[in-house]
Amino acid sequence: MGAIVGGMYAQKPDAQIVEDRMRDLLQSKSFKKIGLDAFAHNGAPDGLSTVSNLYGRMKRGYGWLKSTWSTGIVEAPILLEFLGRLLEDRSIEECAIPFASVSCDLMTGHEIVFQTGSMLIAVATSSAIPGVVTPINVNGRLLVDGAPTSIVPVHAAQRLSTFPVVAVSVTQDVREGRPVANAVDVVLRAGAIARMQLAESNLVSADVVLRPQVESYGWADFDSLEELIAAGERAAEEALPAITLASKVRRGAQTGRIPAKPGRRGGRTRRAAHIDPDHRQYLS
């Protein structure tokens, strides 16, 4: 969802336009037919909803037959049709502001960053949730959502400009989740722990991190759009002082005059974690 909203805003930097277009589409009959609402959160704040709901539907027979001969429940063309109602079919270079999306090469495990080319393809690959949407073939690469390599794509954002990076984390904390009852729960929980740890490692390099209070929601809770927007607005308003300070720190670093952070001496910022360039590829 992050790439979709980011792409919409990059093409038309007006939050109200993005919000209105998203609301209209999510309430449409054509969107309801896709069936993604079936992946809505099950109410357990343990970070397992996407995978556990997928497994539950397969166990009950829904999608099980298809999963044996297809690589996803929702075909990629359906996703592209959906995105075509939100995004203009133009190149990323034509955007009003810089944009990048992150995907994962399913065969090599490499992170793929789109900064040029088709906006629709870039956003589609970053939205192809493994197991839910079939992988998208781009020049011989099978690409899926970038979450396996960067749940929060901080490093890709850092390459876009010299402005501070404000990251948004909606990864659910597994520490207060439901108890495990069987082997499947153990496997799912282990995966959720890995995702949480990866997200935290991504966030280390961000200048400011927003954590909206959305623990009780899942990625497919589209009927809760208004509540989710309100939660994001509250988190952004609370972070405004930190964002302002980060801007001053970044400007100071460029001029050699770095203001001190509250409670610290000097204005040193954290160093970014080293990333092996062989595992991150920028497509042109």
Side-chain angles (χ1 to χ4, degrees):
M1 187 59 72
I4 297 174
V5 174
M8 293 173 66
Y9 190 81
Q11 290 187 333
K12 293 185 180 298
D14 187 313
Q16 191 60 55
I17 291 178
V18 172
E19 183 178 325
D20 291 343
R21 293 184 66 182
M22 184 66 74
R23 182 183 293 106
D24 291 343
L25 181 57
L26 294 181
Q27 294 175 349
S28 67
K29 292 182 179 180
S30 58
F31 175 75
K32 298 295 184 182
K33 290 180 180 179
I34 298 177
L36 293 180
D37 286 342
F39 291 96
H41 203 277
N42 56 13
D46 56 6
L48 305 183
S49 61
T50 300
V51 180
S52 61
N53 282 348
L54 176 61
Y55 174 79
R57 293 179 71 184
M58 292 173 65
K59 185 177 179 180
R60 293 191 302 269
Y62 183 94
W64 175 257
L65 179 60
K66 186 173 183 180
S67 69
T68 62
W69 55 266
S70 178
T71 52
I73 293 176
V74 177
E75 299 293 334
I78 295 177
L79 174 63
L80 286 166
E81 180 182 355
F82 163 71
L83 293 176
R85 300 182 59 179
L86 295 172
L87 298 161
E88 297 178 9
D89 189 11
R90 304 173 66 180
S91 67
I92 295 174
E93 298 92 316
E94 297 178 83
C95 287
I97 59 176
F99 172 82
S101 70
V102 176
S103 306
C104 175
D105 187 321
L106 195 59
M107 305 310 296
T108 67
H110 289 170
E111 180 174 297
I112 306 298
V113 182
F114 285 85
Q115 290 183 273
T116 60
S118 168
M119 172 64 82
L120 281 178
I121 294 298
V123 173
T125 60
S126 189
S127 305
I129 301 172
V132 178
V133 180
T134 57
I136 297 177
N137 191 318
V138 179
N139 298 328
R141 299 175 183 263
L142 287 179
L143 303 183
V144 296
D145 175 20
T149 57
S150 290
I151 291 182
V152 188
V154 173
H155 296 288
Q158 288 174 327
R159 290 177 61 100
L160 291 179
S161 76
T162 59
F163 289 107
V165 173
V166 179
V168 181
S169 176
V170 295
T171 302
Q172 295 168 343
D173 194 330
V174 303
R175 289 172 291 188
E176 297 180 1
R178 62 192 178 196
V180 296
N182 51 53
V184 172
D185 284 348
V186 172
V187 173
L188 296 179
R189 190 169 187 79
I193 292 172
R195 291 190 294 274
M196 184 181 72
Q197 295 292 347
L198 175 58
E200 291 303 315
S201 69
N202 294 153
L203 294 169
V204 167
S205 300
D207 295 282
V208 180
V209 178
L210 276 60
R211 298 181 187 272
Q213 299 300 305
V214 293
E215 293 84 0
S216 59
Y217 301 95
W219 66 270
D221 282 326
F222 303 111
D223 289 338
S224 302
L225 180 63
E226 304 304 329
E227 293 89 338
L228 293 170
I229 291 174
E233 290 176 343
R234 287 193 296 271
E237 290 172 354
E238 293 172 0
L240 281 178
I243 295 173
T244 300
L245 178 58
S247 297
K248 292 180 179 179
V249 170
R250 186 61 65 92
R251 288 198 299 270
Q254 294 172 353
T255 61
R257 300 176 60 185
I258 305 178
K261 294 185 177 180
R264 296 184 182 180
R265 294 182 179 180
R268 298 178 62 186
T269 56
R270 294 171 297 182
R271 296 179 60 187
H274 173 70
I275 298 294
D276 182 353
D278 291 336
H279 293 282
R280 177 171 291 111
Q281 300 180 20
Y282 290 80
L283 299 187
S284 58

